Amino acid sequence: MTAYDVIVLAGGAAKRLGGADKPGVRVGGRALLDRVLAACAGAARTVVVGGRRGTARPVVWTREVPEGGGPLAALGAGLRLTTAEYVLVLSADLPFLGPGTVDALLAAAGRTGREGALCTDPDGRDQPLVAAYRAEPLRRELGLIATEHGSLAGLPLRLLTAELDLARVEAGPDAAFDCDTWDDIAAARARIREHGAVLDEWMTSVKNELGIDLDVDTGLLLDLARDAAHGVARPAAPLTTFLVGYAAARASAGAGPEEAAAAVAEAARRATALALRWEAEASAAGDTADGAKPDAGREGTGTP
C-alpha cells in the first residue's frame, strides 16, 4: 500500500449552514469529520486544518493564515506539517467517503508521469478536495502561486489544479457527495437508512464508537439470531449474539483482527449448531405429542 499523509480541511464559515460547526454535524450518529477520518485511517500522519475539537482518532491540528483564508491557504498550512511522498487532501464534509476511494486515488496518483489524482462527480466535475497529490509538485505549485499573488489567501483551488498533471477517478454517486446545506445533511441522513445500506452503516458506526477493528460477517450473525429466535425463543437472539461476541473475545485475546474475526465465525457456527439441535428436539417433542413415535431404533430386535 502507498504510504501517505492526509490533510483534512475543516475550516470555513459554513454560511449555507447558518454558521453551524459543519465538521461536528452528525450523520448516522457520527460527526462528519470522524466519518472522513475513518476513511483514511491508514495515513502515516493526519493533519486537520481548522478549530480543535474531539476526534475519534489522534490528529495534528493547525490553522490557515489568516484564519478564514480559504482552501489554498489551508492546504498550504497543512502541507507544512506533512513528510510523506503522497498527500491525500480531503474536505471534512464527505459522509460517504470510503477506503476504496482513497485506495483508488493513491493508485492513480502513483502512475508514471502523474502528479496526482482527483475524483470527478457523476456530472464530470473535478473535486480537488477529494484527491491525492505527489507532495513535491504540490509544494512547487503552491510556492509559485504564493509568489505570483503575494499569498494563498482568498485564491481558488483551480489555480492549483490547472497547473498539475492529474489523473481523474470516477467517484461514483456517493464518494464525492458533500454536505454544504441542511438539505444535504437531511439527504445524507436519509440515505444511510435506506434498505440494503442501513445494517452496514450501523455496524460501521458501532465499531467506530467502540474502537473495534474487525471485519464482521453480518450475514452469519443474522442467521445465528434467526436460528436462536426460531429454535429457542425470540429473546434468545440478542442474548446469544452477545455470548458469541464474549466467547470470541476470550478466544482471541491478544490476537489480531483476522484471528478475532475467525473466532467470531467459529463461535457463531457452534452456537448455530446448538440452536438447530434445540429446534430439532422441539420438533421431535411435537411429533411425539401428536402420537408419532420418536426414532429410538427398532424395538424388540435388539438393534440400537
Side-chain angles (χ1 to χ4, degrees):
M1 180 179 177
T2 303
Y4 70 98
D5 291 336
V6 60
I7 302 170
V8 182
L9 274 58
K15 293 180 180 178
R16 286 189 281 176
L17 287 176
D21 174 26
K22 182 163 67 168
V25 173
R26 297 184 181 277
V27 172
R30 290 189 290 158
L32 285 171
L33 176 57
D34 282 337
R35 294 180 73 92
V36 172
L37 293 177
C40 54
R45 171 174 286 193
T46 299
V47 180
V48 179
V49 186
R52 296 176 66 92
R53 70 193 71 235
T55 53
R57 63 179 180 84
V59 303
V60 176
W61 294 97
T62 191
R63 289 304 301 258
E64 71 276 24
V65 179
E67 290 188 14
L72 275 187
L75 181 54
L79 192 60
R80 287 193 289 271
L81 299 177
T82 66
T83 59
E85 181 182 359
Y86 291 91
V87 179
L88 186 70
V89 177
L90 304 170
S91 61
D93 60 352
L94 303 166
F96 303 117
L97 181 72
T101 300
V102 170
D103 291 344
L105 285 168
L106 291 168
R111 293 174 190 156
T112 302
R114 294 295 192 178
E115 295 177 318
L118 51 73
C119 276
T120 58
D121 66 20
D123 294 324
R125 292 186 294 261
D126 287 347
Q127 302 295 319
L129 296 183
V130 191
Y133 301 94
R134 286 181 52 216
E136 186 277 326
L138 186 60
R139 288 191 174 91
R140 178 194 71 218
E141 293 303 328
L142 285 174
L144 290 172
I145 292 170
T147 298
E148 180 179 353
H149 295 272
S151 77
L152 297 174
L155 299 178
L157 280 166
R158 65 175 177 273
L159 292 179
L160 173 68
T161 56
E163 299 300 326
L164 294 172
D165 181 7
L166 303 174
R168 265 64 182 176
V169 174
E170 292 186 6
D174 292 333
F177 180 91
D178 58 355
C179 294
D180 290 327
T181 68
W182 285 114
D183 284 344
D184 294 335
I185 296 292
R189 287 171 171 170
R191 191 173 301 183
I192 67 169
R193 294 178 179 273
E194 290 176 354
H195 179 70
V198 64
L199 286 181
D200 286 340
E201 283 283 350
W202 172 246
M203 293 296 287
T204 298
S205 294
V206 172
K207 287 189 289 183
N208 277 276
E209 186 72 18
L210 300 179
I212 298 172
D213 180 17
L214 179 67
D215 288 329
V216 178
D217 187 337
T218 304
L220 183 70
L221 293 178
L222 288 176
D223 287 346
L224 166 61
R226 177 202 63 206
D227 291 334
H230 182 71
V232 184
R234 291 184 66 84
L239 296 172
T240 304
T241 53
F242 163 77
L243 291 173
V244 162
Y246 182 76
R250 291 185 59 187
S252 61
E258 291 185 2
E259 291 83 358
V264 171
E266 173 60 16
R269 183 195 65 77
R270 294 175 61 183
T272 297
L274 177 62
L276 292 176
R277 293 198 298 270
W278 272 60
E279 182 180 7
E281 290 180 13
S283 178
D287 289 343
T288 302
D290 291 337
K293 182 178 294 185
D295 182 11
R298 288 177 292 174
E299 295 181 356
T301 66
T303 304

